[in-house]
Amino acid sequence: MSNKNFNGNPPKYINDFSKALASEVRILLAEVGKLRDERRALQYEIAELMSVKSKHGPAGEYAPEWRPQSTEPQAMIPAPPPPPPDGAVEPAKPGWRVVQKRPEKRERRIKGAPPPIPPPSAIPPLEPPRPNMPSWAQWRPNPLLSPAPMMATPNAPLPGTPPPSGRSGLFGPPTPPPK
């Protein structure tokens, strides 16, 4: 499109397209809002159902073992169990038990296990922390794991290196000014 025909207003087809796009976006936003409200309603309903379930379940507010009192108390009381026969009664075991003392663990280890292995002395002792230094300053990195220097590429130059060609914008060379 040349600059000769430009009169300050955008072309009609761009204006019509932006209006149609705006109406579509409004419709989609309304649908998203409706779906969000439906989701919230379903979550609330699920929470209510779980609350009712917990109230009616075991150890809930409404115990399942509870029964209403009847007007006839004699009909609900079960008959007492028959007395056991006198001839076949066995004496109960006494509550007192004899406990045998176990040998101590030291004695068992000395008898059955070999002597403990002395710790290896090949590990160098750690350097004690220096006084009057903050804890973060006492940390020392492993010198064997030092990072290698990064190599610059034409597409990813290192910071501080000059760009390869004159003025370069973020998305390539700048657009020439209008004439």
Side-chain angles (χ1 to χ4, degrees):
M1 184 161 144
S2 68
N3 291 336
K4 296 177 188 173
N5 296 336
F6 186 73
N7 60 2
N9 294 330
K12 186 176 181 328
Y13 68 92
I14 292 179
N15 205 5
D16 294 341
F17 176 74
S18 64
K19 286 181 183 178
L21 188 62
S23 66
E24 287 290 325
V25 168
R26 261 186 247 112
I27 291 169
L28 290 174
L29 284 175
E31 286 180 13
V32 167
K34 189 177 87 173
L35 289 172
R36 182 181 58 99
D37 293 341
E38 287 176 7
R39 190 185 99 218
R40 288 183 67 203
L42 287 172
Q43 286 175 340
Y44 178 77
E45 191 173 346
I46 289 170
E48 286 294 317
L49 289 171
M50 291 176 77
S51 171
V52 168
K53 180 183 176 187
S54 69
K55 285 180 182 178
H56 288 281
E61 203 172 301
Y62 310 108
E65 294 84 27
W66 181 82
R67 300 278 182 250
Q69 293 182 353
S70 65
T71 56
E72 301 175 27
Q74 298 294 341
M76 293 301 288
I77 298 174
D86 292 333
V89 176
E90 293 182 16
K93 290 174 65 175
W96 189 260
R97 304 278 189 266
V98 177
V99 178
Q100 302 296 329
K101 185 177 179 185
R102 294 183 181 175
E104 289 187 21
K105 290 185 179 182
R106 283 188 229 133
E107 294 172 15
R108 272 193 268 159
R109 185 176 51 197
I110 291 171
K111 292 176 186 174
I117 301 171
S121 61
I123 300 173
L126 290 176
E127 214 178 293
R130 296 179 187 143
N132 300 329
M133 287 185 92
S135 63
W136 59 266
Q138 297 176 7
W139 178 80
R140 291 174 205 82
N142 187 348
L144 301 175
L145 299 176
S146 62
M150 291 177 38
M151 301 301 291
T153 62
N155 294 338
L158 288 175
T161 59
S165 63
R167 267 180 61 215
S168 175
L170 182 61
F171 301 107
T175 310
K179 295 181 181 179

